[in-house]
Amino acid sequence: RILSLELNKDRDVERIHGSGINTLDIEPVEGRYMLSGGSDGVIVLYDLENLSRKPSYTCKALFSVGRSHPDVHKFSVETVQWYPHDTGMFTSSSFDKTLKIWDTNTLQPADIFHFEGTVYSHHMSPVATKHCLIAVGTKSPKVQLCDLKSGSSSHILQGHRQEVLAVSWSPRHEYILATGSADGRVKLWDVRRASGCLSTLDQHNGEKSKASSEAANTAHNGRVNGLCYTNDGLHLLTIGTDDRMRLWNSSTGENTLVNYGKVCNESRKGLKFAISCGCNPEFAFVPYGSTIAVYTVFTGELITMLRGHYSTVNCCVFQPHFQ
């Protein structure tokens, strides 16, 4: 199915956003509802299911948090995410320096977390049962952990030197978090540990002489603005503004040295890309100008470019039930 992907001519999504769309998320329970967040602060909830069973149809927007909503984000929404366990709750974060926890049924915020700087990215663990921590990457080099249970955001992870553009919990270990920063580094953390940082990924796998200026472990020679675990959590894919994509063994921290060629990345903020789930081999879908580049994750081969958009693609999301 993935090798024959092409633009669907008879399925559309109702157009509600009047400006750019930055982020999408499909809920993991049924795979039926999708959230989108726009650069004007608007959030829309869609039903992807074709209940009419007609061959051509448009996915309807069920409702939206529009500009006139009293609790709408003031600036661009950078990340939306469903609560991983049911559709009664979702989260959004924005350049207005807030993370909001929404009640889906009332469309009211159940909680709002405020930060000192722009929020680039946040993520809830897809597998955690023992904690309810939301990781948040902001303009500060400190990674913030917000606790849904207590409503506090006191826990911080220190180690990056510049703003944190991307955060992602491991889908395999509930206490392991990966973060990518403008300092060129990717760090893995165990949030149970006092010091937190488990390792800093090194693109040279420790091969460079310690005397050189490159001795400090960097994952990319530029800002790291995207990361995504494979579905089994065994590997981590990172993207940087050095126009490189790298695949890491997430348990050893080793750079697998898969070569994807030049992966053009002009994004000044977080780059949202996706990895397939349950396919053999697995594929990565990466926004690439006005197209989406499809790579095989473990060989680095560029399979195809998906064309159809007229302007820059900001994000993509994979529907595992239908590939």
Side-chain angles (χ1 to χ4, degrees), residues 274-308:
I275 296 180
S276 63
C277 162
C279 302
N280 187 14
E282 299 289 6
F283 299 90
F285 304 92
V286 184
Y288 201 111
S290 64
T291 66
I292 297 110
V294 184
Y295 297 92
T296 43
V297 169
F298 295 105
T299 66
E301 189 185 351
L302 176 61
I303 300 291
T304 184
M305 304 288 270
L306 303 176
R307 301 178 196 282

Side-chain angles (χ1 to χ4, degrees), residues 121-142:
S121 167
H122 79 269
H123 192 231
M124 275 179 285
S125 167
V127 294
T129 55
K130 298 186 182 73
H131 72 77
C132 285
L133 296 172
I134 306 178
V136 186
T138 70
K139 231 177 170 59
S140 154
K142 296 171 185 166

